[in-house]
Amino acid sequence: MKVLALVLAVFLAVIQAQLWVGRGSMPHVAQLRQELAKAQADNDKARARNAQLQAELRDLREGLEMVEEKARFELGMIKSDEVFVPVASAAASAARR
């Protein structure tokens, strides 16, 4: 009977050791959960960026308005028959005084 109790105690010790130390231990699982949460957050950011890029691509394919807008604001381009007149805002003129 003592041998059986000793064997059961050893099995219990081995199970507890695996629970607290090693590959499937509780700290290891907690670390994996943190890594999973970070990866999911990164994936959510990437999905949002992809959706934005897809919408922009769709706009570029559908019409030239988006191309014209990008050329005007990002590159400062104007049409050949247009005259560019810079307009100073009230805040900019107040800052100069």
Side-chain angles (χ1 to χ4, degrees):
M1 195 59 146
K2 290 183 181 183
V3 175
L4 180 61
L6 182 63
V7 170
L8 290 176
V10 169
F11 282 136
L12 182 63
V14 169
I15 291 172
Q16 285 294 317
Q18 288 178 352
L19 181 64
W20 294 106
V21 181
R23 183 175 170 169
S25 67
M26 293 178 72
H28 185 252
V29 170
Q31 177 188 3
L32 290 176
R33 284 186 180 158
Q34 287 177 347
E35 291 175 11
L36 178 62
K38 183 183 181 306
Q40 286 175 338
D42 291 344
N43 285 343
D44 290 341
K45 288 179 187 176
R47 281 189 193 101
R49 177 73 175 135
N50 285 344
Q52 179 185 4
L53 289 174
Q54 285 177 347
E56 190 173 322
L57 181 62
R58 186 173 42 254
D59 288 344
L60 287 171
R61 285 183 179 165
E62 289 177 359
L64 295 177
E65 295 88 18
M66 185 70 171
V67 173
E68 184 177 340
E69 180 182 343
K70 281 195 166 290
R72 287 177 181 274
F73 289 110
E74 293 180 9
L75 302 175
M77 299 179 77
I78 59 172
K79 292 181 180 178
S80 61
D81 58 343
E82 288 181 330
V83 176
F84 177 70
V85 179
V87 177
S89 66
S93 62
R96 285 187 223 157
R97 291 182 189 172

